[in-house]
Amino acid sequence: MAEATKSTGLRERKKLERRTRLADVAVELFERNGFEKTTIEQIAAAADLAPRTFFSYFATKDDLVLADYTDRLRRILEELDRRPAAEPAWEALRSSFATVADDYEAEESRIRRRFTIMATSPSVAARSLQLQAGWEQALADALTRRLEADPGDPMPRLLAATALAVMRASLQHWLLNIEDGPLPDLVQRSFDQLGVGLSRMR
Amino acid sequence: MAEATKSTGLRERKKLERRTRLADVAVELFERNGFEKTTIEQIAAAADLAPRTFFSYFATKDDLVLADYTDRLRRILEELDRRPAAEPAWEALRSSFATVADDYEAEESRIRRRFTIMATSPSVAARSLQLQAGWEQALADALTRRLEADPGDPMPRLLAATALAVMRASLQHWLLNIEDGPLPDLVQRSFDQLGVGLSRMR
DNA sequence: GTTGCAAAATGCAGTGACTGCAGCTAAACT
DNA sequence: AGTTTAGCTGCAGTCACTGCATTTTGCAAC
């Protein structure tokens, strides 16, 4: 039972607890008063911390809303690694994103709340896209390794960009038209519709 | 000769001149001193305007770098409208983006300069992506009309998102690997590689 | 349990983007 | 010339975010 509980010490535990507490009270305040009208000072006060301390946990106010993005990317990459090497790249991407779609579906309320905030505060939406651009890079790298392609081959990046675009479009559609069925199905269908041409390669 | 010269009056002409002057001196300052280290005060001074006046021309400092984005979107939409209605959507998109690729190619130095600024100042990159998200919406709307699809049909958005992703990936590849040939060719090829599955629909 | 160390929290004093408001200048119209 | 009005300007203020100096606190060695 080496690292089952990763709370190595009190210090680490407190750190994590403070981070989640900040994110929690922040989202609550955002929903009550709006993102723009909530100041960092208020958030820090609600989390019982000094304003200055906020910035050792989050680089920007935007990041507060997108706290789990890092995990999400890791999840995609893990799933991608788990797919058999013989499987065509587009297939592997489809499966990986389907898994993530399951996660989203399971956390619908959280996702929806975030969507609401993004809809009214452009800076958060912008930051979200910027983080996704980082995902694109990471995905492209992973695909380059997977396909054993040249570092200069544009195909991995093209695949990564397209997959992310499909995911984003599906997510948005799902959030706005929930009657069209569960997200994983939507993602599957979208990937398939694009995939006819792609699944052939490798 | 009603609106051949759209300089209706002195007021309009001055307005336009000031706007371009601001953008010009700003880019110059950005290149010399870096984006972050250039203040709005300096820009206004260099353009011989009051700092407060800057904000009646540009909403944010970021927008200064992306001054021409609106035109670019209009261009894409115009080209799309110009394509024959019988042409499959993916084909039409490919042609439209190829035209824009020509524009980019012709303005390589400007594009490259902007790319450099974006690479070092994340907020500009984020803003750029956010504007592109607006393009996605506009493109999706145009495609919905073109395909006479239901307002709820996810396909137009999927097409729009994918096309933009392809364009972005191609552009980035072109900027980093100029030896791989002209941008329009790259765009064409990328569209084709994805298109096998798509060109069938409509 | 006391002592010494390092990480983290805090306080302070800034910088700079951006906003609202109120007054002024100059273009435009009669 | 006289009036209207769009747009420039100055001023005061808010707030995200930063660097630096200081204090607190978990932790480990003794």
Side-chain angles (χ1 to χ4, degrees):
Chain A
M1 60 165 81
E3 52 186 51
T5 55
K6 65 176 166 187
S7 52
T8 320
L10 175 57
R11 207 171 239 167
E12 298 303 311
R13 217 178 320 136
K14 270 197 165 179
K15 215 161 95 176
L16 187 71
E17 195 272 334
R18 276 173 175 155
R19 189 183 159 88
T20 53
R21 184 155 40 121
L22 273 172
D24 286 348
V25 301
V27 169
E28 198 169 328
L29 285 173
F30 291 162
E31 286 183 331
R32 182 160 18 178
N33 308 331
F35 181 81
E36 325 279 357
K37 305 189 89 172
T38 306
T39 69
I40 301 235
E41 199 180 341
Q42 291 167 357
I43 298 171
D48 205 33
L49 291 174
R52 186 63 182 86
T53 309
F54 171 89
F55 293 101
S56 31
Y57 285 94
F58 295 93
T60 70
K61 194 174 147 189
D62 298 327
D63 284 339
L64 221 30
V65 186
L66 311 170
D68 56 336
Y69 262 37
T70 315
D71 300 330
R72 209 128 262 158
L73 169 61
R74 189 164 35 74
R75 190 99 159 81
I76 297 178
L77 293 176
E78 280 173 9
E79 285 301 320
L80 193 60
D81 269 347
R82 191 163 300 153
R83 307 304 308 173
E87 195 176 40
W90 188 249
E91 283 292 315
L93 283 170
R94 190 186 53 143
S95 302
S96 305
F97 278 86
T99 309
V100 181
D102 284 334
D103 295 350
Y104 276 77
E105 180 95 19
E107 302 182 84
E108 178 175 350
S109 67
R110 179 210 291 260
I111 305 292
R112 198 168 284 277
R113 225 170 327 178
R114 167 153 69 208
F115 184 71
T116 310
I117 295 177
M118 280 204 256
T120 58
S121 33
S123 68
V124 183
R127 178 77 173 142
S128 163
L129 289 171
Q130 194 194 348
L131 291 175
Q132 283 176 40
W135 297 11
E136 187 179 307
Q137 176 68 48
L139 255 186
D141 290 346
L143 286 170
T144 302
R145 281 195 303 276
R146 183 191 176 85
L147 295 170
E148 292 167 8
D150 278 341
D153 189 349
M155 182 50 69
R157 169 151 248 120
L158 186 58
L159 285 170
T162 309
L164 278 168
V166 170
M167 183 69 196
R168 225 176 333 106
S170 303
L171 182 57
Q172 175 154 357
H173 185 82
W174 175 64
L175 286 169
L176 296 177
N177 311 51
I178 192 142
E179 70 278 8
D180 282 4
L183 179 61
D185 294 358
L186 206 66
V187 170
Q188 286 272 353
R189 259 180 287 145
S190 301
F191 265 83
D192 288 344
Q193 279 175 312
L194 278 186
V196 188
L198 279 171
S199 57
R200 198 165 312 166
M201 50 191 73
R202 172 63 189 278
Chain B
M1 61 165 80
E3 52 187 53
T5 56
K6 67 175 165 187
S7 53
T8 319
L10 175 56
R11 212 170 236 169
E12 298 301 314
R13 218 178 319 135
K14 271 197 167 180
K15 216 161 94 175
L16 187 70
E17 195 272 335
R18 277 175 174 154
R19 190 182 158 86
T20 53
R21 185 154 40 120
L22 273 173
D24 286 348
V25 300
V27 169
E28 198 170 329
L29 285 174
F30 291 161
E31 286 183 330
R32 182 158 21 174
N33 308 331
F35 181 81
E36 326 278 358
K37 305 189 90 171
T38 306
T39 70
I40 301 229
E41 200 180 340
Q42 291 168 356
I43 299 171
D48 206 32
L49 290 173
R52 186 64 183 85
T53 308
F54 171 87
F55 293 102
S56 33
Y57 285 96
F58 294 94
T60 70
K61 195 173 146 191
D62 298 327
D63 285 337
L64 220 31
V65 185
L66 311 170
D68 56 335
Y69 263 37
T70 314
D71 300 330
R72 209 127 263 159
L73 169 61
R74 189 165 33 72
R75 190 99 160 82
I76 296 178
L77 293 176
E78 280 173 8
E79 285 300 321
L80 193 60
D81 270 346
R82 191 164 299 153
R83 307 304 308 173
E87 193 175 41
W90 189 250
E91 282 294 314
L93 283 170
R94 190 186 53 142
S95 302
S96 305
F97 278 86
T99 309
V100 181
D102 284 334
D103 295 350
Y104 276 77
E105 180 95 19
E107 302 182 85
E108 178 175 350
S109 67
R110 180 209 290 260
I111 305 291
R112 199 168 283 277
R113 224 169 330 178
R114 167 151 71 209
F115 183 72
T116 309
I117 295 177
M118 281 205 256
T120 58
S121 32
S123 69
V124 183
R127 178 79 174 140
S128 163
L129 289 171
Q130 193 192 349
L131 292 175
Q132 283 175 39
W135 296 13
E136 188 178 308
Q137 176 69 47
L139 254 186
D141 290 346
L143 286 171
T144 302
R145 282 194 303 276
R146 183 190 176 88
L147 295 169
E148 293 167 9
D150 277 342
D153 190 348
M155 183 49 72
R157 170 151 245 118
L158 186 58
L159 285 171
T162 310
L164 278 168
V166 170
M167 183 68 196
R168 224 177 332 107
S170 302
L171 182 57
Q172 174 154 356
H173 184 82
W174 175 66
L175 286 168
L176 295 176
N177 311 51
I178 190 135
E179 70 278 6
D180 282 5
L183 180 61
D185 294 357
L186 207 67
V187 171
Q188 287 272 353
R189 259 180 287 145
S190 301
F191 265 84
D192 288 345
Q193 279 175 311
L194 278 186
V196 188
L198 280 170
S199 57
R200 199 164 313 167
M201 49 191 73
R202 172 60 185 282

